[in-house]
Amino acid sequence: MKKKRKRYKIRIERLAFSFSVISMLILLVLNGAISIFSSSKEKINDTTLLVKSKPSFVVCIDPGHGAYDRGTESADGVFEKDVVLKVGLKVGQILENNNIKVVYTRKDDETILGSDDKEDLRKRVQIAHDNKADVFVSIHCNSYKDASIKGIELWCDEPNTKDELLAKYIQDELYKLKYTEKRNMKYQSNSPLYVLKNNDAISTLVEIGYLTNKDDSTFITSKNGQAKCAEAIAKAILSFKESIKK
């Protein structure tokens, strides 16, 4: 009887030991699973935060005039609307190649934004607003009754603003091409421009040269000149983007 009790006691002790070992293994497995789940959850949350905080930069390119509105004209019959469209599309292409989101107020000569000047300008600003543009650059050619007048001219809202900084970047890059003169910066106080005054985006208007001046016209109506102007404007926008990020 004592032997049976002894054997029975040994069996209970072995079962208790086995149960203890199994319990420890189960706990280890569960802890490992919880740890993996927590780690995975943390990674997912980190990734989600990274995506949400990823910065975006939108540039609205506005080739002035278009369709029925020819803008100014060179002595040999080249219209402003055609020059600035070619330059604007090239600027946009360069920016897109640098992973910048670009929207255009027009990409062809058939687009009619408004039946009159006021409606046309309002819709250009609306396109920038609807696309939450960070930067708005309106591209134009200049003209004057005195054909000797030439140069690069930039317009912006007020002095000592990001608008002026963007304008200066563009002015400086264009002037590096040495095809014409650098004219003084123009501000809204001189003559309010609708696309600058009513824009949410950091805005500037660039006159790349005078179509009424022979030297300016020869450069800005040429394929090479348009490509260089586009490269200069795009480079300035990219430099401006980096400067405000810092």
Side-chain angles (χ1 to χ4, degrees):
M1 191 71 180
K2 286 181 179 180
K3 287 182 179 180
K4 284 183 179 179
R5 284 179 182 174
K6 191 175 182 180
R7 287 175 186 169
Y8 182 70
K9 187 178 180 181
I10 291 168
R11 284 179 183 173
I12 289 173
E13 287 174 354
R14 285 177 178 173
L15 284 170
F17 176 76
S18 299
F19 180 77
S20 177
V21 170
I22 291 167
S23 297
M24 286 178 67
L25 288 171
I26 290 170
L27 285 171
L28 286 170
V29 170
L30 285 173
N31 285 335
I34 290 167
S35 177
I36 291 169
F37 176 76
S38 298
S39 177
S40 174
K41 188 175 181 182
E42 286 172 8
K43 286 179 182 176
I44 290 169
N45 287 340
D46 287 344
T47 305
T48 305
L49 289 171
L50 182 63
V51 170
K52 284 183 178 179
S53 63
K54 185 179 179 180
S56 59
F57 194 77
V58 181
V59 176
C60 182
I61 299 297
D62 174 42
H65 308 281
Y68 65 87
D69 180 6
R70 298 173 176 179
T72 192
E73 183 179 357
S74 71
D76 52 354
V78 179
F79 298 125
E80 177 183 4
K81 66 171 186 172
D82 298 321
V83 174
V84 298
L85 178 60
K86 290 173 183 176
V87 173
L89 292 176
K90 288 179 187 295
V91 172
Q93 185 179 36
I94 295 167
L95 293 176
E96 286 168 345
N97 290 341
N98 282 273
N99 300 314
I100 301 293
K101 182 180 177 182
V102 179
V103 293
Y104 303 84
T105 56
R106 67 184 184 99
K107 294 183 74 174
D108 53 55
D109 192 42
E110 285 70 49
T111 299
I112 297 176
L113 294 167
S115 56
D116 56 50
D117 289 348
K118 188 174 181 179
E119 179 66 10
D120 177 89
L121 295 172
R122 190 191 69 78
K123 287 192 175 181
R124 290 173 193 268
V125 171
Q126 191 65 42
I127 289 168
H129 175 77
D130 291 345
N131 287 278
K132 296 180 172 59
D134 296 285
V135 163
F136 178 93
V137 178
S138 191
I139 305 171
H140 289 259
C141 298
N142 227 331
S143 66
Y144 197 66
K145 57 185 178 182
D146 182 350
S148 67
I149 301 297
K150 60 181 181 178
I152 301 156
E153 194 168 89
L154 271 292
W155 287 77
C156 65
D157 190 14
E158 299 289 343
N160 304 313
T161 59
K162 288 181 180 178
D163 305 69
E164 184 188 50
L165 181 62
L166 172 63
K168 284 182 175 178
Y169 269 109
I170 293 174
Q171 185 182 57
D172 290 345
E173 287 298 332
L174 284 171
Y175 187 60
K176 286 177 185 177
L177 300 177
K178 297 297 181 184
Y179 66 91
T180 190
E181 300 171 359
K182 183 196 290 186
R183 298 177 64 80
N184 292 333
M185 189 75 65
K186 302 290 185 181
Y187 301 101
Q188 285 285 7
S189 56
N190 299 120
S191 179
L193 299 177
Y194 188 95
V195 294
L196 302 184
K197 183 181 179 181
N198 299 281
N199 220 311
D200 298 328
I202 298 165
S203 310
T204 186
L205 185 147
V206 51
E207 303 271 10
I208 59 174
Y210 280 72
L211 278 177
T212 47
N213 176 268
K214 184 179 178 181
D215 295 333
D216 278 8
S217 181
T218 299
F219 186 81
I220 64 179
T221 60
S222 70
K223 188 175 181 180
N224 180 57
Q226 290 166 5
K228 286 185 175 180
C229 284
E231 288 168 9
I233 295 170
K235 184 179 179 181
I237 294 170
L238 291 170
S239 297
F240 171 78
K241 175 180 178 289
E242 290 304 307
S243 73
I244 61 172
K245 187 168 71 173
K246 291 175 184 178

